[in-house]
Amino acid sequence: MAREQLSGAAYAWNGFADRQELAAALAGHVAARLTKAIAERDTALLAVSGGTTPAKFFAALSAIPIAWDKVTVTLVDERFVPPTSPRSNAGLVAANLLQNKAAAARFVPLYHEAASIEAAAASDSDALQSLAWPLDVVVLGMGADGHTASFFPDAGNLAVLLDPSSQRIVLPVHAPSGGEPRLTLSMARIIAAGFIALHIEGEDKRTAFDGAMEAEADTKKPIRKVLEAAPIPVEVFWAP
């Protein structure tokens, strides 16, 4: 059910009884979009978020038999830690998504060794330039503070991160609430995707999302900024 609550902030709410049901439904939507992209241009580009929330979704998607050898997977954001770290999003993707049928997909990480997070972001932007942009599918997550990707409310460069006209692909993030420095796709790249999904679980995140969407809510909430800037309705997938 689509609900227009703010000017330019359209989204469709997809609620599920449990997280396994959500994972299966989201995986089906993503697989269908990737298959459509492959049929139209013989390739598909998918960006996914990290954390622990998408593990079930990753497992469900990895088992779907599509032409995975024509799919490139990258990350929405990443902590500035090596893939061996338990906090690495790349490690989560390798363990849960790049398995089964999806083992044939190409994976392009954001982390690599660099002198600084700024140097890593600049190098990533150059390296990712050759991918088949725009994204066909992006799957976002959201924190209870309203951050998505690594667009934290307390990021010193939040205005740059949320610039819908940015030409950069990957940007550095320094935010006290984010812990380690992070790398993130720019909002411009995210909102250009052909299909944008927001995957949230739990009553606390539903409350946070609903609060950010209210007309009188703090307009600095990054998730609200993304929905306002997106040219297509964002598909929200939620389970308690």
Side-chain angles (χ1 to χ4, degrees):
M1 177 179 66
R3 297 185 292 183
E4 184 90 24
Q5 290 186 261
L6 299 169
S7 177
Y11 62 92
W13 183 266
N14 302 278
F16 299 90
D18 59 55
R19 298 178 185 188
Q20 199 64 51
E21 184 182 341
L22 182 160
L26 179 55
H29 277 271
V30 170
R33 294 285 179 160
L34 295 177
T35 298
K36 181 175 183 289
I38 292 167
E40 291 175 349
R41 57 195 189 109
D42 203 39
T43 189
L45 183 55
L46 165 67
V48 295
S49 58
T52 57
T53 298
K56 288 184 174 63
F57 155 61
F58 285 166
L61 181 59
S62 74
I64 298 179
I66 67 173
W68 283 107
D69 59 327
K70 297 184 177 182
V71 176
T72 296
V73 179
T74 192
L75 288 162
V76 170
D77 60 342
E78 177 63 284
R79 297 174 177 88
F80 196 45
V81 297
T84 53
S85 168
R87 292 177 58 77
S88 167
N89 288 340
L92 176 80
V93 168
N96 295 277
L97 176 56
L98 303 177
Q99 302 289 328
N100 302 316
K101 306 293 185 183
R106 175 192 179 198
F107 179 61
V108 180
L110 297 186
Y111 172 84
H112 63 272
E113 290 188 17
S116 67
I117 192 73
E118 288 76 17
S123 180
D124 277 337
S125 288
D126 291 341
L128 271 63
Q129 186 67 50
S130 64
L131 298 185
W133 299 96
L135 291 164
D136 295 294
V137 177
V138 62
V139 183
L140 300 169
M142 190 197 76
D145 61 354
H147 86 263
T148 189
S150 280
F151 307 154
F152 289 93
D154 61 346
N157 62 337
L158 185 60
V160 174
L161 298 174
L162 296 176
D163 180 1
S165 63
S166 173
Q167 297 302 303
R168 292 285 296 276
I169 298 175
V170 180
L171 293 163
V173 182
H174 293 280
S177 62
E180 306 95 338
R182 299 193 182 206
L183 299 155
T184 189
L185 295 185
S186 66
M187 186 171 77
R189 296 289 172 160
I190 290 172
I191 64 173
F195 178 74
I196 305 171
L198 175 64
H199 178 183
I200 54 176
E201 296 179 353
E203 294 293 347
D204 58 336
K205 290 190 178 180
R206 176 169 187 171
T207 298
F209 178 84
D210 287 346
M213 292 300 103
E214 291 173 357
E216 65 275 14
D218 180 0
T219 58
K220 294 181 181 178
K221 292 289 186 183
I223 187 60
R224 174 169 166 167
K225 290 293 189 182
V226 172
L227 266 68
E228 286 178 334
I232 60 174
V234 172
E235 295 280 340
V236 183
F237 289 77
W238 173 83

